[in-house]
Amino acid sequence: EAKNLPTYPGPNKMRDCYCTVNLDQEEVFRTKIVEKSLCPFYGEDFYCEIPRTFRHLSFYIFDRDVFRRDSIIGKVAIQKEDLQKYHNRDTWFQLQHVDADSEVQGKVHLELRLSEVITDTGVVCHKLATRVLECQGLPIVNGQCDPYATVTLAGPSRQTKVKKKTNNPHFDEVFYFEVTRPSSYNKKSHFDIEDVDEVDKMEIRVDLWNASNLKFGDEFLGELRLPLKFLRQSSSYEAWYFLQPRDNGNKSLKPDDLGSLRLNVVYTEDHVFSSDYYSPLRDLLLKSADVEPVSASAAHILGEVCREKQEAAIPLVRLFLHYGRIVPFISAIANAEVKRTQDPNTIFRGNSLTSKCIDETMKLAGMHYLQVTLKPIIDEICQVHKPCEIDPVKLKDGENLENNRENLRQYVDRIFTVITKSGVSCPTVMCDIFFSLRESAAKRFQGDLDVRYTAVSSFIFLRFFAPAILSPNLFQLTPHHPDPQTSRTLTLISKTIQTLGSLSKSKSANFKESYMATFYDYFNEQKYADAVKNFLDLISSSGRRDHKSIEQPILLKEGFMIKRAQGRKRFGMKNFKKRWFRLTNHEFTYQKSKGDHPLCSIPIENILAVERLEEESFKMKNMFQVIQPERRVLYIQANNCVEAKDWIDILTKVSQCNKKRLTVYHPSAYLNGHWLCCKATADNTPGCTPCTGGLPANIQLDIDGDRETERIYSLFNLYMPKLEKMQEACGSKSVYDGPEEEEYSTFIIDDPKETYKTLKLIIEGVGTLEQEHAQYKRDKFKKTKYGSQEHPIGDKSFQTYIRQQSEISAHSI
């Protein structure tokens, strides 16, 4: 949320604001617009894999303007090195002014050489040669970047040529400057004595500019100032530098002018080794389902030491799903939890490791099931805007309570029907888990005939369908938050569905609000309870059906992108056009706009490779290519780097099993009679670069087992003090076996000896990996030169790392 934004100069003072998330200056996400507010609340989550290096994570607040370009109110920019400081903490940030002087990204490659020159008269002067080689990652301003550099040393500046339409320009131009006035040649030093101080004071300045055709003049992209004194040690110097903002002395603005923005940023960076490093820890985790009792297993111990069960559940579920061990693992921990439950009415109601793991599994394995079941009707509710408010106090003027009730009743009926008829589509993994929950519950509470249903309904209704109806954007059913009226409708539907699914005896008593209890009378018929029971019976009976029954096409991704016309006609124009792209597990299509008839359809089996396209081809960023038979290529530009990565990943995944997949491809386009990458002239020349490695063919799950094991190692490492405390607890329990010490009572320890053994193995495995990481960092540190392309001068993360290393080595000495 934001607060205290500056008022709008017009009479109503309010603004219509939205917020964007940017990597450096590239927008990767945009929130909804909150209208007429100076304290907008967004409450939106955005999660992404970061597909490239970046220096700042930035957040901009914009004011929408119907007639002109939206205006920027302010921004928050967090340096990559500082993200850890704010990790998972709600923080209010002051909004900063946005101008060209603060918007700096990219790096420049320079070479400097200081040399003595003897003139015809035998006197010496010093010349400085400055060579501007190239730049990388400059910002794109108003959709273009035509950069040039100016170089200044006390006096007029010199300028490079302008490079058109690129943010990675190659200049390779040299400029010469006279540094000292001629002096007699009998001096021993490089410089006159009186000149030494002057040279030390001098600095060379390199500024980068975007050549603008607007009347306001060229835009500043960043600068670099280098004092000449460091050239006194060696006469030539070459390095990469990060560009820096210009300091305009613009400090008169009060920092609280613009209001502030509240953010919660969770940033994790995992350094993943190759598979063999993780074998001991991974095998220990995967054995968890077979350990007796399960509370002595490595996975259960992770759940015990993590502050939030969710932290442990996410990587565990992904790891077990990847290796096909999720059902036995969840069955084991669920069974142990049921045994500890005293009252059948409280079964699986807490936020235990079991419930968090099942939630996570449903989210991963059930995403397409939700899409197929709920998306069509949720889309309709969001588009039609039927009034459904049934609280008499909240009725708007002109609304009729009976009509609203009828609208809501029809929606609830339709959603209830699609859910209870969807049993056949429920993913096998979910069915197998529900089967084991049902068995455990029925065995534990034999006198209660309903418990076999409530054990399953507490997940499928309360924790899967109801939350997806309530917040469809979090389950990828809608791209953004629904508007307030739709949101209210979805809340009322979600409440009713949740109660219908819970099968409790006195339904109406469930509702605090009397209007909900009255509304619920519509659904008090036996047919609703029977439908729920039939549905629960179907999804919790194991191995009952052919998994590959007639499959509806599943929509995997859709959205606007720009594509290059394929030029099928010999003289057809090959220009770029905006199109609406749709990908299902059957075909990849595009049309003029959403809902139109497809202009082109590519069956999935015709996708032979999906690869990035080098920027040089069309001087456009975020491009990729979809390669089809007969070397036909569709060139597409996504809106940003995150979108491009998502499309490439999912297209690669669906086409992974195609028989004729290519092994080589051209990373650039075929233009003006040759391939730009390998200069071959025939357009059917086989590719010159190996295709990137494939992803798993299973569309639903793109999981990297090693990465999840690294995540689990990081968690164990973070909570090492708790692991050691748990070890102590095992020792004291097995020795005394008397009343527990108070500080150990937080852990579930059923078998101290077994638990102790597992803990010992975990601590050893974590210790070994920690040494490997430290060694890798040391080796990398030795090999990497400060000022190289990977670590330009001005790279704070590298400087911090150097500081830590020197502290560690001093400490170890």
Side-chain angles (χ1 to χ4, degrees):
E1 62 176 320
K3 68 178 180 190
N4 305 337
L5 297 178
T7 53
Y8 188 71
N12 66 2
K13 298 200 176 334
M14 291 297 163
R15 293 179 183 268
D16 302 342
C17 296
Y18 61 89
C19 187
T20 67
V21 182
N22 298 52
L23 291 175
D24 294 325
Q25 288 169 53
E26 182 180 4
E27 181 184 318
V28 292
F29 176 72
R30 180 178 289 207
T31 65
K32 63 184 175 197
I33 294 171
V34 175
E35 295 184 336
K36 300 186 179 62
S37 171
L38 297 177
C39 296
F41 180 83
Y42 299 101
E44 294 196 36
D45 290 317
F46 170 62
Y47 167 84
C48 82
E49 293 280 321
I50 296 180
R52 60 174 179 79
T53 56
F54 69 103
R55 282 169 71 186
H56 290 94
L57 177 66
S58 306
F59 301 83
Y60 292 77
I61 287 254
F62 285 87
D63 186 8
R64 179 183 57 181
D65 191 315
V66 184
F67 303 110
R68 296 195 301 274
R69 281 183 57 192
D70 297 350
S71 55
I72 297 185
I73 297 173
K75 73 165 181 180
V76 169
I78 309 172
Q79 282 194 331
K80 183 183 172 185
E81 299 76 52
D82 295 338
L83 284 171
Q84 222 43 49
K85 266 194 241 171
Y86 306 109
H87 179 75
N88 208 1
R89 287 213 327 260
D90 266 16
T91 312
W92 281 99
F93 293 89
Q94 285 290 335
L95 284 164
Q96 304 296 325
H97 282 272
V98 175
D99 55 24
D101 300 330
S102 65
E103 296 281 273
V104 168
Q105 64 181 63
K107 51 192 175 184
V108 58
H109 189 187
L110 286 189
E111 190 180 347
L112 302 175
R113 182 170 284 118
L114 194 61
S115 45
E116 291 186 342
V117 180
I118 305 173
T119 60
D120 301 342
T121 56
V123 288
V124 171
C125 64
H126 295 93
K127 282 205 169 170
L128 174 70
T130 306
R131 184 175 177 204
V132 184
L133 289 141
E134 60 182 313
C135 295
Q136 274 188 354
L138 298 177
I140 288 179
V141 186
N142 301 336
Q144 58 128 27
C145 190
D146 299 340
Y148 67 89
T150 61
V151 185
T152 317
L153 179 86
S157 60
R158 326 276 177 84
Q159 183 183 324
T160 65
K161 293 189 183 73
V162 175
K163 298 290 177 184
K164 288 282 187 192
K165 288 190 179 166
T166 174
N167 61 342
N168 298 322
H170 283 265
F171 296 112
D172 205 359
E173 294 186 41
V174 186
F175 303 99
Y176 294 98
F177 299 91
E178 276 195 12
V179 179
T180 56
R181 55 181 185 273
S183 59
S184 55
Y185 188 47
N186 57 11
K187 294 278 164 66
K188 297 223 172 20
S189 73
H190 265 318
F191 306 109
D192 274 6
I193 300 304
E194 67 253 13
D195 288 336
V196 172
D197 291 341
E198 279 178 38
V199 169
D200 280 1
K201 282 179 199 153
M202 290 174 102
E203 62 176 10
I204 186 101
R205 198 173 98 219
V206 180
D207 292 272
L208 272 126
W209 299 85
N210 180 29
S212 167
N213 46 14
L214 302 170
K215 58 179 181 291
F216 312 121
D218 297 348
E219 284 120 340
F220 172 77
L221 299 181
E223 71 166 23
L224 179 62
R225 291 166 177 258
L226 291 176
L228 290 191
K229 60 179 169 207
F230 73 86
L231 281 173
R232 294 178 50 206
Q233 279 78 41
S234 73
S235 56
S236 116
Y237 196 79
E238 176 247 344
W240 283 85
Y241 296 86
F242 270 144
L243 287 166
Q244 301 299 339
R246 165 169 69 178
D247 183 13
N248 266 357
N250 203 357
K251 298 285 179 269
S252 58
L253 296 157
K254 291 205 291 294
D256 54 359
D257 276 354
L258 300 175
S260 47
L261 187 63
R262 176 173 155 223
L263 304 168
N264 186 338
V265 180
V266 177
Y267 175 72
T268 50
E269 193 178 284
D270 292 320
H271 298 263
V272 186
F273 287 125
S274 55
S275 236
D276 42 336
Y277 283 88
Y278 296 108
S279 298
L281 187 59
R282 187 176 52 232
D283 296 346
L284 189 63
L285 288 158
L286 292 173
K287 270 201 332 229
S288 295
D290 310 321
V291 174
E292 283 288 330
V294 74
S295 61
S297 69
H300 194 281
I301 288 171
L302 181 68
E304 285 296 289
V305 295
C306 281
R307 200 180 62 198
E308 302 280 337
K309 300 280 186 235
Q310 181 85 358
E311 273 185 308
I314 294 172
L316 284 174
V317 163
R318 295 173 75 91
L319 182 74
F320 284 113
L321 266 169
H322 183 68
Y323 287 101
R325 301 279 295 141
I326 191 72
V327 178
F329 170 63
I330 286 185
S331 303
I333 57 172
N335 203 8
E337 185 175 325
V338 170
K339 281 182 184 156
R340 284 196 290 272
T341 306
Q342 300 306 317
D343 177 359
N345 294 319
T346 62
I347 197 162
F348 299 127
R349 283 298 160 92
N351 279 332
S352 61
L353 183 65
T354 311
S355 51
K356 288 294 182 195
C357 283
I358 296 174
D359 285 355
E360 202 51 40
T361 308
M362 292 192 301
K363 237 181 183 174
L364 284 168
M367 209 47 109
H368 292 96
Y369 174 38
L370 275 181
Q371 298 269 341
V372 177
T373 313
L374 293 181
K375 191 169 169 47
I377 186 163
I378 296 242
D379 282 348
E380 185 191 318
I381 293 170
C382 291
Q383 280 154 15
V384 179
H385 291 298
K386 276 188 190 169
C388 294
E389 183 53 76
I390 56 169
D391 180 355
V393 181
K394 292 187 179 170
L395 274 192
K396 288 186 187 152
D397 294 344
E399 281 186 1
N400 177 317
L401 187 60
E402 277 313 306
N403 287 354
N404 287 10
R405 266 202 198 127
E406 182 52 26
N407 289 342
L408 186 63
R409 191 188 68 73
Q410 284 180 6
Y411 277 149
V412 170
D413 240 339
R414 284 174 59 193
I415 284 192
F416 179 79
T417 307
V418 294
I419 289 174
T420 49
K421 291 250 184 327
S422 71
V424 183
S425 320
C426 185
T428 319
V429 152
M430 284 167 63
C431 295
D432 292 343
I433 288 170
F434 295 149
F435 174 70
S436 74
L437 296 183
R438 176 191 173 125
E439 295 292 290
S440 289
K443 200 162 150 192
R444 171 85 171 88
F445 300 106
Q446 289 171 0
D448 189 326
L449 294 177
D450 274 345
V451 75
R452 67 190 58 218
Y453 294 115
T454 51
V456 177
S457 73
S458 66
F459 285 104
I460 193 79
F461 280 102
L462 270 66
R463 304 174 84 120
F464 186 63
F465 283 122
I469 296 165
L470 187 66
S471 310
N473 54 303
L474 297 183
F475 292 82
Q476 292 166 23
L477 295 171
T478 57
H480 301 292
H481 272 280
D483 60 82
Q485 184 191 328
T486 309
S487 202
R488 173 71 178 152
T489 302
L490 293 173
T491 304
L492 294 169
I493 296 171
S494 177
K495 276 184 173 183
T496 318
I497 291 291
Q498 192 168 331
T499 309
L500 274 168
S502 69
L503 288 172
S504 58
K505 310 286 184 294
S506 57
K507 292 302 176 80
S508 305
N510 271 10
F511 296 108
K512 298 186 196 77
E513 310 95 339
S514 56
Y515 62 85
M516 281 304 290
T518 319
F519 173 67
Y520 199 81
D521 289 341
Y522 288 127
F523 304 99
N524 246 338
E525 297 172 44
Q526 187 56 36
K527 67 172 187 180
Y528 289 103
D530 292 344
V532 170
K533 285 188 171 174
N534 289 339
F535 169 66
L536 294 173
D537 279 335
L538 180 58
I539 62 169
S540 59
S541 55
S542 200
R544 74 204 169 283
R545 63 169 204 274
D546 172 26
H547 182 52
K548 291 201 165 55
S549 52
I550 305 101
E551 191 186 13
Q552 279 291 96
I554 296 169
L555 176 67
L556 299 173
K557 191 166 173 61
E558 59 180 347
F560 275 115
M561 292 191 286
I562 290 167
K563 64 108 199 161
R564 181 178 190 249
Q566 298 182 72
R568 296 186 185 159
K569 303 187 187 73
R570 189 140 180 217
F571 301 107
M573 289 287 285
K574 292 192 180 181
N575 52 357
F576 287 90
K577 294 196 170 98
K578 191 172 183 178
R579 293 288 181 255
W580 180 262
F581 284 83
R582 284 187 93 227
L583 173 67
T584 69
N585 53 346
H586 293 183
E587 60 181 358
F588 181 45
T589 59
Y590 61 78
Q591 50 245 49
K592 260 197 173 149
S593 52
K594 191 175 180 176
D596 287 359
H597 189 71
L599 298 171
C600 166
S601 164
I602 303 171
I604 294 297
E605 56 272 19
N606 279 1
I607 298 178
L608 307 185
V610 184
E611 296 287 349
R612 289 186 183 283
L613 185 71
E614 285 177 356
E615 222 170 285
E616 275 58 48
S617 301
F618 302 108
K619 301 276 188 267
M620 288 163 74
K621 285 170 82 80
N622 304 320
M623 286 204 71
F624 62 95
Q625 47 183 326
V626 178
I627 306 169
Q628 303 158 62
E630 276 118 50
R631 306 260 167 225
R632 285 245 316 280
V633 185
L634 175 61
Y635 295 120
I636 304 173
Q637 183 187 34
N639 300 318
N640 59 54
C641 58
V642 170
E643 276 285 292
K645 182 182 189 305
D646 284 352
W647 275 106
I648 293 169
D649 282 355
I650 198 157
L651 280 162
T652 305
K653 251 175 284 179
V654 290
S655 59
Q656 192 63 53
C657 295
N658 292 349
K659 303 270 188 303
K660 296 179 179 167
R661 269 191 75 85
L662 296 178
T663 51
V664 288
Y665 77 106
H666 290 286
S668 280
Y670 183 78
L671 293 174
N672 307 331
H674 68 274
W675 290 99
L676 298 181
C677 38
C678 57
K679 305 293 183 273
T681 49
D683 65 350
N684 60 356
T685 311
C688 55
T689 305
C691 285
T692 44
L695 296 149
N698 183 348
I699 298 163
Q700 283 87 345
L701 304 171
D702 170 21
I703 294 173
D704 177 343
D706 300 327
R707 179 174 168 173
E708 301 310 327
T709 317
E710 169 62 33
R711 193 87 289 277
I712 292 169
Y713 147 76
S714 302
L715 287 169
F716 273 139
N717 205 13
L718 179 66
Y719 293 112
M720 187 54 80
K722 278 195 173 180
L723 287 172
E724 288 162 351
K725 192 150 231 153
M726 202 171 177
Q727 236 184 350
E728 284 173 32
C730 290
S732 84
K733 278 191 84 156
S734 51
V735 174
Y736 297 111
D737 220 19
E740 254 182 275
E741 283 190 41
E742 191 55 38
E743 58 177 320
Y744 299 145
S745 61
T746 48
F747 305 119
I748 294 174
I749 300 172
D750 297 320
D751 183 333
K753 279 188 181 156
E754 278 304 309
T755 312
Y756 189 89
K757 277 187 206 162
T758 309
L759 280 161
K760 194 162 174 285
L761 290 170
I762 292 172
I763 291 169
E764 280 170 11
V766 169
T768 310
L769 274 169
E770 199 177 1
Q771 284 170 356
E772 294 290 357
H773 276 291
Q775 187 57 48
Y776 174 80
K777 277 185 174 170
R778 278 196 295 273
D779 293 349
K780 189 174 173 205
F781 172 63
K782 279 178 198 154
K783 285 180 200 147
T784 309
K785 181 172 152 249
Y786 189 42
S788 64
Q789 198 170 347
E790 298 80 51
H791 292 293
I793 291 173
D795 179 355
K796 292 221 172 88
S797 56
F798 192 69
Q799 288 168 308
T800 312
Y801 181 68
I802 291 174
R803 207 166 45 246
Q804 286 168 349
Q805 286 304 312
S806 57
E807 282 165 16
I808 290 166
S809 55
H811 182 68
S812 58
I813 290 164

